[in-house]
Amino acid sequence: MGTHRDAHIVWDWNGTLFHDVDAVIGATNAAFAELGLEPLTLERYRELYCVPVPKFYERLLGRLPSEAEWELMDTTFHRHYTEHRVRCGLAEGVAELLAGWSSAGRSQSILSMYGHEELVPLVRGFGIEPHFVRVDGRTGPSGGSKAEHMVRHLGALTGVAPERTVVIGDAADDALAARHVGARAVLYTGGSHSRASLEAVGVPVVDTLAEAVAEAERLAS
């Protein structure tokens, strides 16, 4: 195989391959309304968002939410997100980028913190599942970091070396998860974080997924 052919991309889903930022903002504001918080604009959301999600709520409340508050907001968010997501689609150029990476003999997978049982049929419904060697969503409680999920995800892949793996996502947590397993990362500005907060992580930051794939190829070479 050529020097680039064993490069692997681990894609994030929400805010990366799946352009759902409008659904996320709508669901977040519905959750905030449960505690009497003012709605957020997209710009403000991107300035404040962080993982684990309870820390994001702490930035708005001035304290960590109680267990009851967290459960209420989390349940409300997911209910409204499910309603809003039906109007969302793939990010620009996704189908062509996935096909191009696969046709070059390289592998790719999805690791998302979206629930596994919801994620798999959603990916399948867009007709892109055959491009991936594995699709993993979150199992267990929501709101945590991706790092340990990344350990399990890469461990389940055959012939994929962390040092030839690039994680593409829209959140600082994607880069931290990549670092946790010895992989590289490229962060995309089309999702949950502002460019400034992504640049603070110290990995390449791009404005399009086409740029992200080009950067992944460079990093994994």
Side-chain angles (χ1 to χ4, degrees):
M1 288 196 173
T3 56
H4 298 288
R5 289 182 179 271
D6 57 347
H8 181 83
I9 291 176
V10 177
W11 291 96
D12 175 54
W13 178 249
N14 302 95
T16 304
L17 291 177
F18 189 47
H19 185 66
D20 63 347
V21 67
D22 291 336
V24 168
I25 294 298
T28 297
N29 284 332
F32 285 177
E34 294 286 348
L35 296 187
L37 296 172
E38 291 296 316
L40 292 178
T41 63
L42 174 59
E43 292 71 24
R44 186 65 172 152
Y45 176 90
R46 283 174 166 164
E47 287 174 10
L48 295 173
Y49 182 75
C50 64
V51 172
V53 178
K55 294 289 289 182
F56 170 49
Y57 292 147
E58 182 182 22
R59 292 180 173 185
L60 295 150
L61 290 169
R63 59 176 174 80
L64 281 171
S66 68
E67 186 174 340
E69 288 172 332
W70 162 250
E71 289 179 0
L72 174 63
M73 295 174 80
D74 190 50
T75 299
T76 303
F77 173 88
H78 284 97
R79 184 175 72 249
H80 283 271
Y81 177 81
T82 300
E83 295 171 1
H84 287 294
R85 79 173 190 203
V86 296
R87 295 188 290 275
C88 301
L90 297 176
E92 183 179 355
V94 161
E96 294 79 9
L97 290 169
L98 297 177
W101 188 264
S102 294
S103 66
R106 307 179 183 110
S107 60
Q108 53 198 328
S109 58
I110 292 176
L111 175 61
S112 173
M113 295 301 282
Y114 193 45
H116 184 77
E117 298 303 320
E118 293 81 19
L119 173 68
V120 172
L122 191 54
V123 173
R124 189 171 294 149
F126 283 110
I128 58 174
E129 188 183 24
H131 292 303
F132 305 108
V133 295
R134 189 174 181 90
V135 176
D136 281 336
R138 171 186 49 79
T139 56
S142 63
S145 172
K146 188 178 272 189
E148 292 306 319
H149 294 269
M150 187 69 72
V151 172
R152 291 190 291 272
H153 182 73
L154 285 189
L157 298 175
T158 301
V160 172
E163 63 272 16
R164 300 300 306 281
T165 297
V166 180
V167 176
I168 298 178
D170 69 312
D173 190 53
D174 292 300
L176 298 177
R179 190 174 300 160
H180 186 68
V181 296
R184 312 293 286 275
V186 179
L187 297 179
Y188 164 62
T189 61
S192 59
H193 281 40
S194 67
R195 172 174 271 277
S197 64
L198 294 178
E199 288 176 340
V201 182
V203 302
V205 176
V206 298
D207 296 317
T208 70
L209 293 182
E211 292 175 278
V213 170
E215 189 67 18
E217 183 171 0
R218 183 187 70 80
L219 291 172
S221 63

